[in-house]
Amino acid sequence: MGNALDIMQLASDGAAVLVAEMAKSGWESFRTAVANFFGLGGEESAVDELRLVDAAHTRLAESPEDMRDSMAETLQQELYIQLAAFLQKNSDAAAKLQALVDSSPSGEEVRDGGASVHHNTNSQVVVSGGSISTGGSIVYRAPGGNK
């Protein structure tokens, strides 16, 4: 995880998992694991970082049902920034965050349904020239095909 791109991807995955877990009834047990993760930055840092995570959880829990998805997106961006900054100061914590992502049932959803794809083989990439639902075009080019 020494490369900045990997840290940013991990922060993105971590933020998605945090928000997904916040919406579940088992948040408190996951919160304990998050507290242990932030503890790698020292006790004072852990208190500050966890305060931000708790505030995010409260905002999500108290958001009106019809605004929940929008709030989740906002919180995911905020947590992404928080995690990326934490990992840049504490790069040795990357393995612990990866373990959190991997151990969470939401981690599977993030990896499979989210924007990040890991261990992907035998896939094709389809690029839309606009919204597919409004009649945009789809272009397929096989690897090494004519341009």
Side-chain angles (χ1 to χ4, degrees):
M1 282 294 154
N3 150 342
L5 182 60
D6 289 341
I7 286 176
M8 301 312 274
Q9 182 62 54
L10 178 56
S12 178
D13 290 350
V17 166
L18 275 172
V19 171
E21 290 298 324
M22 285 177 183
K24 295 180 179 180
S25 60
W27 166 246
E28 286 303 316
S29 63
F30 193 76
R31 182 191 178 277
T32 300
V34 171
N36 289 335
F37 163 72
F38 282 125
L40 297 173
E43 189 174 333
E44 188 175 318
S45 173
V47 169
D48 291 340
E49 299 288 353
L50 202 54
R51 181 180 48 77
L52 294 172
V53 170
D54 286 338
H57 176 254
T58 299
R59 287 171 52 204
L60 182 63
E62 293 177 354
S63 65
E65 189 65 36
D66 63 335
M67 299 294 292
R68 187 91 19 106
D69 288 344
S70 174
M71 178 60 72
E73 286 179 31
T74 298
L75 294 175
Q76 188 170 331
Q77 286 301 311
E78 291 174 9
L79 291 166
Y80 165 72
I81 293 167
Q82 179 183 356
L83 289 171
F86 183 83
L87 288 173
Q88 288 189 1
K89 290 184 270 184
N90 304 282
S91 61
D92 56 324
K96 181 89 168 187
L97 181 57
Q98 186 65 60
L100 272 174
V101 169
D102 291 344
S103 70
S104 165
S106 299
E108 187 71 25
E109 296 165 19
V110 166
R111 287 185 300 278
D112 291 343
S116 58
V117 179
H118 301 283
H119 310 296
N120 189 17
T121 59
N122 297 325
S123 296
Q124 297 178 354
V125 176
V126 177
V127 179
S128 169
S131 172
I132 295 172
S133 64
T134 61
S137 63
I138 298 176
V139 177
Y140 169 74
R141 288 192 179 98
N146 295 336
K147 292 186 177 183

